[in-house]
Amino acid sequence: MVDDRNRKDYYQRKFLSLCEEVDKRKEKPTLFLHACCGPCLTYPLSVLIEHFQVTVGFFNPNIQPAEEYRKRLETLESFITRYSKDKGVEIPLVVNEEDFLAYEKAFQDRDKDHEGGATCLKCHAYRLSLAYRYAYLHHYDYFTTVMTVSCKKPSRELNEIAEKLEAIYPTTKYVYSDFKKDNGQLKGIQIAKAYSLYRQNYCGCLVSLKEREEEIRRRKAQSENDLRMLG
């Protein structure tokens, strides 16, 4: 395979190549899968269980407020329970016990940035580091994240973050991915609808919530203005 990261299908090709490799083994290797929410988990999980023994990890101290965190976790738990039963596959779930105060301290200047800004990559790296370390300490063969399925998450940057973590935790190999490929996001939405999953409308932190609320207000004001113009 040509090592050309500028190719749009670079990470997808690496993923498919690895799947072909592990499928030749007598037993499926273990994989620890970082999941940010139920809807984003749907499509990646549907693919990964065909090749790996998957354990899902919910490592997301960025999600606020507390009610939203519980809602997303409950959605994730419900989906895994029902989906594993439907597929006849055991899918364990690990919930991170990270102190939320530690996250808030690390990102206390978050309100100076915006969603999609530099702080977002630091947040992704923080959560991936927590999950990757757990996978390494518990001797998983592989690690990856569902976040590359989202059109609002930069697949290349996420893969590069995890590549650096793999150098720190070398006995747990990283599974490169770009789950947006092959209509991954659309397929995930279809699965989420089939299971009637709660689908949030902001990333997770209070900054992203504030930005989404402001966007909703702008759209409402614009709509009301358009109606007045028509009247």
Side-chain angles (χ1 to χ4, degrees), residues 2-226:
V2 178
D3 187 10
D4 184 0
R5 294 172 188 251
N6 293 320
R7 290 182 60 128
K8 292 183 178 180
D9 64 345
Y10 174 77
Y11 292 112
Q12 172 72 352
R13 293 172 73 241
K14 285 185 72 69
F15 174 74
L16 294 176
S17 177
L18 176 63
C19 289
E20 290 181 3
E21 176 188 323
V22 300
D23 286 348
K24 296 175 183 177
R25 304 180 189 181
K26 293 182 178 180
E27 294 184 357
K28 291 180 179 179
T30 57
L31 180 143
F32 193 75
L33 176 62
H34 167 258
C36 52
C37 65
C40 285
L41 172 65
T42 53
Y43 174 68
L45 182 63
S46 72
V47 175
L48 290 167
I49 60 173
E50 299 298 325
H51 310 282
F52 301 91
Q53 299 178 54
V54 179
T55 295
V56 175
F58 190 71
F59 285 57
N60 305 292
N62 61 309
I63 299 174
Q64 297 184 56
E67 297 79 24
E68 179 69 19
Y69 179 90
R70 288 193 293 270
K71 193 168 186 177
R72 294 192 195 187
L73 177 55
E74 289 170 359
T75 298
L76 186 81
E77 290 172 329
S78 175
F79 172 66
I80 291 174
T81 297
R82 290 182 289 158
Y83 193 74
S84 60
K85 182 178 180 181
D86 290 343
K87 297 298 180 180
V89 178
E90 182 181 1
I91 306 172
L93 171 64
V94 176
V95 179
N96 172 239
E97 300 297 336
E98 171 77 2
D99 186 349
F100 286 85
L101 292 177
Y103 177 86
E104 291 177 9
K105 183 177 180 180
F107 292 88
Q108 57 186 337
D109 296 329
R110 181 71 199 248
D111 58 350
K112 297 179 181 179
D113 202 358
H114 60 89
E115 185 174 0
T119 308
C120 281
L121 284 180
K122 294 179 182 178
C123 177
H124 300 334
Y126 183 95
R127 291 180 287 145
L128 288 177
S129 179
L130 291 177
Y132 212 136
R133 183 172 185 273
Y134 180 94
Y136 168 77
L137 292 176
H138 291 81
H139 311 294
Y140 283 86
D141 298 317
Y142 291 94
F143 170 84
T144 196
T145 177
V146 306
M147 289 196 291
T148 64
V149 78
S150 172
C151 64
K152 295 185 177 181
K153 300 292 190 299
S155 295
R156 178 166 181 166
E157 285 82 353
L158 288 168
N159 280 293
E160 289 175 346
I161 288 169
E163 184 176 20
K164 293 177 181 177
L165 290 170
E166 183 181 30
I168 301 172
Y169 307 119
T171 57
T172 298
K173 300 301 180 182
Y174 176 64
V175 177
Y176 292 87
S177 73
D178 188 352
F179 290 118
K180 285 185 283 289
K181 299 299 183 184
D182 194 26
N183 291 317
Q185 188 170 36
L186 175 59
K187 292 176 181 177
I189 290 172
Q190 292 171 340
I191 298 172
K193 287 182 176 179
Y195 281 83
S196 301
L197 300 188
Y198 162 67
R199 295 172 60 203
Q200 67 276 359
N201 64 0
Y202 70 101
C203 181
C205 72
L206 293 179
V207 171
S208 63
L209 173 59
K210 180 180 178 180
E211 288 186 6
R212 182 52 56 91
E213 289 174 340
E214 290 175 349
E215 179 185 353
I216 292 173
R217 284 195 292 270
R218 285 196 301 269
R219 289 181 179 180
K220 182 179 179 180
Q222 183 62 52
S223 179
E224 291 173 349
N225 183 63
D226 291 344

